Amino acid sequence: MKSITSNQTPPIKVGLISLGCAKNLVDAEIMLGTLMKEGVEITNQAEIADVIIVNTCSFIDAAQEESVDTILESSEVRDVHNRGQGLVVSGCLSQRFRDQLPTLFPEVDAFMGIDQVAQVGKIVRDAIEHRTKRLAEGNRPRADLKRKAKEEISRLDAKSSTHSDEASLKGTAKLNKTKVVVAPQAPVFDVTDRPKYIPEFDTPRFRLTPSHFAYLKIAEGCNHPCSFCIIPRMRGSHRSRSQADVVAEARQLIKDGVKEINLISQDSTYYGLDLRPERNGSISSPEKFKQAAASLPAGSTTLSSLLKELNALEGHFWIRLLYTHPAHWTDELIETIAACKKVARYVDMPLQHIHGNMLERMRRETSEEYIVELVKRIRKGIPGIAIRTTFIVGFPGETEEYFKALLQFMRDTEFERLGIFSYSQEEGTRAGSMEQQVPEGIKKRRKELAMSVQAKVAEKVSERYMGKTIRVLVEKEANSKELQNANVSSWEHGHIRNDESAQILKGKYLVSRGEADAPDIDGRVYIKGSLPIGQFALVKVIGHTLYDLIAKPVS
């Protein structure tokens, strides 16, 4: 095979656009690291790239639409500036519509799935070869196909099968078989039916986050049957990395100067349970999970054992725990977090709803009584903990009574951090075909009401910080846009803020985050003064906006 570089020719230039969540970002970092190891030059100038990779998200309709728009826009930019450029589509959209995408997007030269991120170098070369042949043969996709792509994706959504039973979560007879399209002028297509890939410590990686924090993926895939979620179909079943491998990566990150390690996966609390001997059947429910965890042999890998070993590493850093499932919390995990001083007093635990009927329809495997008791146990067992959660409003069958129960739960519990989703009807899911779909207008109204309730809670939470000295991680100098940030949202964390009072911040400030604030999704601490960037500091809170704190350095 021809080398990706040679003495006679300049290196291949690749540009990458990554959409979606932090887990998708790690996949992008692995692709970039792999390409750089093979001698590829990475560029931010799309018009000069030999290949553009669009790493797609298909979490909800809005994210999926953004992915389709980005693919089509990349194709149009190529037509104007660089007709010889290869176009590669990776990520969740490729996984979700693996059989249909070659027809839907004839302008794309190669499609790749989750399992292929470490083979990106070969796929880039194949994309260039495919593009060269297409241009030589004078074939260009028709404009009408481009215009119809979004409509066709929506139609395919409606025809998708659901992951409605245990067998579907484990795959089918086509498990891990790769479909390769070999018809004339067809794009390269390398996407396994059910992903099984999981990164390892020695996998090349080029981090896209600032130098002071990083995401560390501890597992991939999900075993939960949530009726609203498409992730198990796209990402496969849960599979944990070995603890030694995760710790080795964390040790290297700390050596590189990282001050905050954010542990991520689809379900972090399930970590290690798939590695237990003689495992059989699902243990997703709280009862089965508790029994399985209690029966583990001494020295087994669990989230608690991982946190303890990470906490023992030398250095000054935070460990932040993201993506925990309420069904998998144990007393041991609560005790471990309380005892591990380097684990931030912060928990990301999406609850989705509180009313029993809604939890049952969502197939969340928890009850109202269980959730209320769990929140009490976590707060009692870990003093000073900040709990972030998300809720879905407008889910099929949600009545005004059920919605009011959610609002009351929010008032009573006073979550420190909270995001709200309007339900997105994903037709490839069980919930997508449910009766009693809630009209869009009602969804919008309920989201606004829920956020107004949380705004009052957030103001109380911020007021409690007044006069306190807290430890923060200083990130950068604030620009004018950040000081007037009024509307922040995330595909995975719902609507986060609507804070017009942030406009009172004028002048020179530093942006930082406390233990209660995860990157990109939570509040910030604005510091009036001068401190080293990328380092920890003590500050005193002297004011607040609705969601953010204002502080000054403590000498």
Side-chain angles (χ1 to χ4, degrees):
M1 179 178 292
K2 183 181 177 181
S3 172
I4 200 163
T5 62
S6 71
N7 294 329
Q8 291 76 34
T9 58
I12 292 172
K13 294 183 177 65
V14 172
L16 187 145
I17 303 168
S18 188
L19 307 171
C21 65
K23 298 178 286 290
N24 220 31
L25 181 67
V26 171
D27 290 345
E29 293 177 337
I30 291 172
M31 285 191 278
L32 290 177
T34 301
L35 290 168
M36 293 174 70
K37 185 178 180 180
E38 296 185 21
V40 172
E41 181 180 324
I42 306 303
T43 178
N44 289 325
Q45 297 176 270
E47 62 273 11
I48 69 169
D50 297 302
V51 172
I52 289 292
I53 301 173
V54 180
N55 193 32
T56 60
C57 178
S58 191
F59 181 55
I60 59 175
D61 281 345
Q64 187 167 276
E65 183 175 350
E66 182 184 33
S67 293
V68 172
D69 285 341
T70 304
I71 294 169
L72 297 178
E73 288 167 6
S74 296
S75 173
E76 291 166 358
V77 169
R78 174 181 62 181
D79 288 345
V80 174
H81 296 286
N82 187 357
R83 287 194 57 211
Q85 184 181 84
L87 179 57
V88 177
V89 172
S90 64
C92 291
L93 197 70
S94 293
Q95 289 291 159
R96 186 170 182 179
F97 301 108
R98 64 187 299 270
D99 292 325
Q100 297 89 2
L101 287 187
T103 301
L104 279 178
F105 296 101
E107 55 270 77
V108 174
D109 298 291
F111 295 91
M112 56 183 285
I114 307 301
D115 283 346
Q116 288 69 47
V117 295
Q119 288 90 51
V120 65
K122 178 183 182 302
I123 293 171
V124 161
R125 293 190 293 271
D126 290 343
I128 292 174
E129 182 179 353
H130 178 268
R131 184 63 180 172
T132 300
K133 289 181 178 179
R134 172 175 283 177
L135 290 178
E137 294 167 2
N139 291 302
R140 299 183 66 184
R142 300 197 316 272
D144 61 331
L145 290 179
K146 292 184 180 183
R147 290 195 297 269
K148 293 179 180 178
K150 290 183 188 178
E151 297 176 8
E152 187 64 11
I153 284 285
S154 298
R155 188 186 68 80
L156 289 171
D157 244 352
K159 293 176 64 178
S160 298
S161 60
T162 63
H163 57 277
S164 59
D165 54 36
E166 182 75 11
S168 68
L169 289 177
K170 296 178 179 178
T172 65
K174 296 189 295 180
L175 181 66
N176 295 326
K177 291 184 179 179
T178 299
K179 177 178 178 180
V180 179
V181 180
V182 295
Q185 299 160 17
V188 177
F189 197 93
D190 199 0
V191 185
T192 49
D193 186 46
R194 294 286 295 181
K196 63 178 183 179
Y197 175 75
I198 188 74
E200 297 179 347
F201 166 60
D202 59 0
T203 303
R205 182 178 171 191
F206 178 77
R207 288 199 293 115
L208 296 170
T209 54
S211 60
H212 58 275
F213 80 83
Y215 294 105
L216 202 171
K217 186 182 288 189
I218 64 174
E220 181 61 274
C222 183
N223 289 351
H224 285 282
C226 301
S227 61
F228 54 82
C229 185
I230 201 76
I231 287 176
R233 280 182 49 205
M234 296 187 295
R235 290 276 173 175
S237 301
H238 182 99
R239 47 205 187 273
S240 300
R241 293 174 61 181
S242 73
Q243 182 165 314
D245 199 63
V246 173
V247 172
E249 182 173 347
R251 185 179 288 111
Q252 183 60 53
L253 290 170
I254 296 166
K255 183 179 178 181
D256 292 341
V258 169
K259 300 297 183 183
E260 179 180 46
I261 298 173
N262 296 276
L263 303 184
I264 61 172
S265 68
Q266 268 75 36
D267 179 4
S268 295
T269 34
Y270 201 93
Y271 174 75
L273 270 290
D274 58 310
L275 303 177
R276 71 192 191 281
E278 300 179 2
R279 63 186 186 276
N280 182 33
S282 172
I283 57 168
S284 295
S285 69
E287 296 78 15
K288 291 182 179 179
F289 186 86
K290 185 177 180 180
Q291 292 172 5
S295 64
L296 289 172
S300 294
T301 295
T302 63
L303 182 57
S304 292
S305 70
L306 175 63
L307 290 176
K308 291 174 183 176
E309 189 168 358
L310 292 175
N311 186 75
L313 294 176
E314 293 185 2
H316 299 286
F317 59 93
W318 276 335
I319 304 161
R320 189 178 297 280
L321 187 56
L322 301 173
Y323 305 103
T324 72
H325 194 290
H328 299 162
W329 276 79
T330 62
D331 290 338
E332 181 188 15
L333 179 57
I334 294 173
E335 293 165 4
T336 297
I337 294 174
C340 292
K341 301 306 180 184
K342 293 178 182 176
V343 177
R345 277 15 189 184
Y346 176 95
V347 164
D348 170 37
M349 184 174 64
L351 297 175
Q352 313 304 10
H353 216 281
I354 192 57
H355 196 281
N357 289 355
M358 287 289 91
L359 293 170
E360 183 176 353
R361 287 175 69 85
M362 290 178 175
R363 303 187 76 186
R364 287 294 289 169
E365 304 163 307
T366 53
S367 65
E368 177 179 357
E369 295 75 18
Y370 173 86
I371 291 172
V372 171
E373 179 61 27
L374 175 61
V375 171
K376 289 180 180 178
R377 284 167 49 212
I378 291 174
R379 283 181 166 166
K380 181 179 179 181
I382 315 172
I385 193 75
I387 301 179
R388 155 166 275 283
T389 193
T390 53
F391 292 118
I392 298 173
V393 297
F395 189 83
E398 185 187 52
T399 64
E400 284 295 320
E401 176 190 351
Y402 300 164
F403 175 63
K404 288 179 180 177
L406 174 61
L407 295 182
Q408 191 58 50
F409 177 62
M410 291 168 56
R411 295 186 188 100
D412 294 341
T413 310
E414 295 188 351
F415 289 99
E416 288 78 10
R417 304 289 182 262
L418 186 145
I420 297 291
F421 276 118
S422 291
Y423 169 69
S424 175
Q425 186 175 7
E426 302 298 317
E427 296 292 351
T429 63
R430 177 186 289 261
S433 59
M434 284 181 177
E435 296 181 353
Q436 298 177 287
Q437 295 288 330
V438 177
E440 291 299 323
I442 294 178
K443 291 182 191 178
K444 181 179 179 181
R445 178 181 63 82
R446 289 179 180 174
K447 179 178 178 178
E448 291 171 350
L449 283 172
M451 285 309 301
S452 67
V453 167
Q454 181 57 24
K456 295 177 181 177
V457 172
E459 191 168 19
K460 288 184 182 179
V461 171
S462 294
E463 186 66 28
R464 291 170 191 156
Y465 280 96
M466 287 294 293
K468 290 185 177 180
T469 296
I470 61 173
R471 191 184 187 205
V472 298
L473 181 56
V474 183
E475 299 207 275
K476 58 184 176 180
E477 289 189 5
N479 58 42
S480 58
K481 182 178 180 181
E482 286 169 327
L483 293 178
Q484 297 180 14
N485 199 353
N487 198 342
V488 177
S489 62
S490 162
W491 298 138
E492 289 195 306
H493 297 276
H495 191 90
I496 297 168
R497 70 177 75 200
N498 188 355
D499 189 4
E500 295 179 358
S501 60
Q503 295 183 27
I504 67 173
L505 295 173
K506 295 180 180 180
K508 186 177 180 180
Y509 283 85
L510 295 172
V511 179
S512 69
R513 289 182 291 107
E515 285 190 71
D517 304 309
D520 300 326
I521 63 174
D522 290 316
R524 302 171 181 84
V525 181
Y526 292 101
I527 305 169
K528 188 72 171 177
S530 179
L531 288 168
I533 305 296
Q535 301 295 322
F536 290 115
L538 292 177
V539 298
K540 183 178 181 179
V541 179
I542 59 174
H544 65 85
T545 65
L546 195 57
Y547 293 99
D548 301 320
L549 302 178
I550 305 170
K552 66 179 182 179
V554 173
S555 57

